[in-house]
């Protein structure tokens, strides 16, 4: 419908003024804010543009789900009535998770793209996903949230810093183990505190048998094991 020949994904920058008329602008931003000035500037520029909520799965064991939930919800709402639509990003840059594991965050972005005023909670959306995608009957969401939403267990971390926790822990898994633990986010202390809860959640998840998409679920369980190893 747009008639554009190609699209360019860009962070906030003044470069949109230099784009040719046949190039569409796709705005992406990992911030968790509800007052992004860039969207207002793009609207005033007169350019056709799309907003791009993120799955937040780059360089981590699995999507940072609570952060992705807020990013998708806030960005879709700010783009409503201003942008031409939504293009959900699923980069997976440097990520070692199976790309299909992004599906849960893509489903959430779809929820808020379809209805930017939706009030469905993270817990409710995750439960629906587990039923539809894996075929579980009345799944217990809590053990899944222990991993998808583990950043919330980190105390005294500013809200906008939450997305960085997953990547930091992921780096700990891959680095030379002779090096000291990253001091950022008080990583050693927080990982020690949540270790027991993660092991309990792993035990519960290991007992589940999905009716569909078993390979994806097996990869998710593998990533759980790697995260617990990193915590150790």
């Amino acid at each position: 419908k747009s008639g554009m020949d190609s699209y360019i994904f860009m962070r906030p920058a003044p470069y949109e003024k230099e784009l040719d008329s046949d190039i569409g602008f796709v705005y992406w931003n990992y911030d968790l804010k509800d007052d992004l000035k860039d969207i207002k500037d793009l609207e005033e520029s007169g350019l056709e543009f799309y907003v791009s909520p993120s799955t937040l799965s780059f360089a981590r064991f699995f999507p940072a789900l609570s952060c992705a939930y807020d990013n998708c919800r806030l960005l879709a709402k700010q783009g409503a009535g201003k942008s031409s639509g939504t293009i959900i990003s699923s980069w997976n840059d440097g990520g070692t998770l199976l790309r299909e594991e992004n599906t849960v965050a893509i489903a959430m972005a779809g929820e808020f793209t379809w209805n930017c005023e939706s009030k469905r909670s993270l817990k409710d959306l995750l439960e629906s996903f587990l039923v539809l995608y894996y075929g579980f009957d009345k799944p217990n969401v809590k053990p899944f949230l222990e991993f998808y939403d583990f950043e919330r267990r980190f105390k005294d971390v500013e809200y906008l810093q939450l997305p960085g926790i997953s990547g930091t822990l992921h780096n700990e898994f891959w680095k030379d183990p002779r090096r000291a633990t990253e001091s950022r986010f008080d990583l050693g202390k927080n990982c020690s505190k949540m270790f027991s809860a993660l092991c309990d959640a792993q035990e519960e998840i290991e007992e589940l048998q999905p009716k569909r998409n078993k390979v994806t679920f097996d990869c998710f369980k593998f990533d759980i094991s790697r995260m617990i190893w990193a915590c150790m």
Side-chain angles (χ1 to χ4, degrees):
K1 290 182 179 180
S2 68
M4 295 290 176
D5 292 333
S6 59
Y7 294 89
I8 183 167
F9 286 78
M10 297 182 73
R11 285 287 302 230
Y15 307 127
E16 67 269 15
K17 299 173 184 177
E18 303 174 18
L19 295 179
D20 294 335
S21 60
D22 61 347
I23 296 179
F25 191 98
V26 182
Y27 174 81
W28 62 272
N29 195 321
Y30 297 137
D31 282 344
L32 310 175
K33 299 179 181 179
D34 58 4
D35 59 347
L36 291 170
K37 179 180 180 295
D38 306 288
I39 292 181
K40 297 175 184 176
D41 291 343
L42 280 168
E43 181 185 21
E44 292 174 0
S45 74
L47 284 172
E48 177 185 5
F49 74 98
Y50 289 75
V51 293
S52 184
S54 171
T55 59
L56 283 166
S57 56
F58 53 91
R60 57 200 67 216
F61 296 117
F62 21 69
L65 212 53
S66 67
C67 300
Y69 171 87
D70 285 333
N71 180 265
C72 293
R73 178 176 57 85
L74 294 170
L75 202 52
K77 189 169 185 176
Q78 291 179 78
K82 303 179 181 70
S83 67
S84 297
T86 303
I87 298 176
I88 301 167
S89 66
S90 179
W91 303 114
N92 223 29
D93 303 38
T96 50
L97 59 88
L98 185 70
R99 183 175 291 278
E100 283 79 359
E101 291 179 57
N102 284 335
T103 312
V104 58
I106 293 172
M108 291 194 313
E111 168 76 19
F112 295 114
T113 297
W114 181 258
N115 176 14
C116 67
E117 299 291 342
S118 173
K119 304 299 182 184
R120 295 189 73 183
S121 66
L122 171 63
K123 183 176 180 293
D124 183 33
L125 289 172
L126 179 55
E127 182 177 17
S128 296
F129 174 81
L130 294 173
V131 171
L132 293 170
Y133 192 75
Y134 291 123
F136 295 131
D137 298 321
K138 297 181 179 179
N140 179 11
V141 176
K142 187 176 183 299
F144 288 90
L145 284 175
E146 287 291 349
F147 295 99
Y148 280 130
D149 197 26
F150 82 91
E151 296 93 346
R152 295 288 186 180
R153 281 186 168 271
F154 280 60
K155 305 302 181 183
D156 302 320
V157 176
E158 293 183 13
Y159 179 64
L160 294 179
Q161 290 182 315
L162 287 177
I165 297 174
S166 296
T168 301
L169 182 59
H170 184 264
N171 291 341
E172 287 294 307
F173 177 82
W174 291 107
K175 80 176 189 185
D176 185 335
R178 294 170 295 182
R179 291 169 52 197
T181 299
E182 170 65 59
S183 60
R184 191 181 180 209
F185 303 123
D186 207 355
L187 202 64
K189 181 179 178 181
N190 279 302
C191 285
S192 295
K193 282 184 175 180
M194 68 182 183
F195 179 73
S196 178
L198 293 179
C199 289
D200 290 343
Q202 181 189 37
E203 186 174 335
E204 189 168 346
I205 290 173
E206 284 287 346
E207 295 178 356
L208 298 175
Q209 295 296 326
K211 297 175 184 176
R212 297 182 286 274
N213 299 304
K214 186 177 183 302
V215 172
T216 305
F217 192 66
D218 286 344
C219 289
F220 172 70
K221 291 192 296 183
F222 176 67
D223 288 333
I224 284 176
S225 297
R226 291 196 298 182
M227 178 174 168
I228 289 178
W229 176 264
C231 287
M232 291 170 59

